[in-house]
Amino acid sequence: LERVERTIQLSQAQINQGNLAFSAKEYAKALDSYQEASRLYPQLANAYIRQGDTLLKLKRPAEAFTAFQKGVELQPGLLNSKKFAKQYN
């Protein structure tokens, strides 16, 4: 259990780094961080959602769709989230 918690923490740290890069419009760097987060902990839906956001900025919509799809598969409740709906509608 400790190992899983540590892996989740490392994955979240990658997402945080990606968020900083994304905010700075360093999209390639952000994508690398989000992809590393999903490699570390493939069950973390947010890593895929953030990849999708970044891939859209990089004008790679087909890949973005795949990333969003994976995120929603992992966390189906996302589609019912008001925050998600507001951001993606």
Side-chain angles (χ1 to χ4, degrees):
L1 187 61
E2 252 181 60
R3 186 174 178 201
V4 171
E5 289 174 0
R6 179 70 179 137
T7 301
I8 293 169
Q9 288 174 346
L10 290 171
S11 183
Q12 190 58 53
Q14 286 295 316
I15 290 174
N16 292 342
Q17 284 183 351
N19 290 345
L20 289 173
F22 189 92
S23 293
K25 298 183 179 6
E26 297 174 356
Y27 301 122
K29 185 176 177 182
L31 183 60
D32 288 343
S33 292
Y34 299 138
Q35 288 174 331
E36 179 63 11
S38 62
R39 187 193 68 74
L40 288 167
Y41 192 69
Q43 297 83 9
L44 193 59
N46 192 37
Y48 295 99
I49 299 301
R50 297 302 293 152
Q51 285 177 47
D53 292 335
T54 306
L55 287 160
L56 286 177
K57 292 289 187 181
L58 293 169
K59 302 193 182 334
R60 293 162 56 185
E63 292 170 84
F65 177 80
T66 300
F68 286 134
Q69 192 172 34
K70 179 69 174 173
V72 171
E73 283 174 15
L74 289 169
Q75 193 174 341
L78 278 175
L79 293 177
N80 297 325
S81 161
K82 288 181 183 177
K83 181 181 176 188
F84 186 84
K86 181 179 176 184
Q87 189 167 351
Y88 297 104
N89 283 330

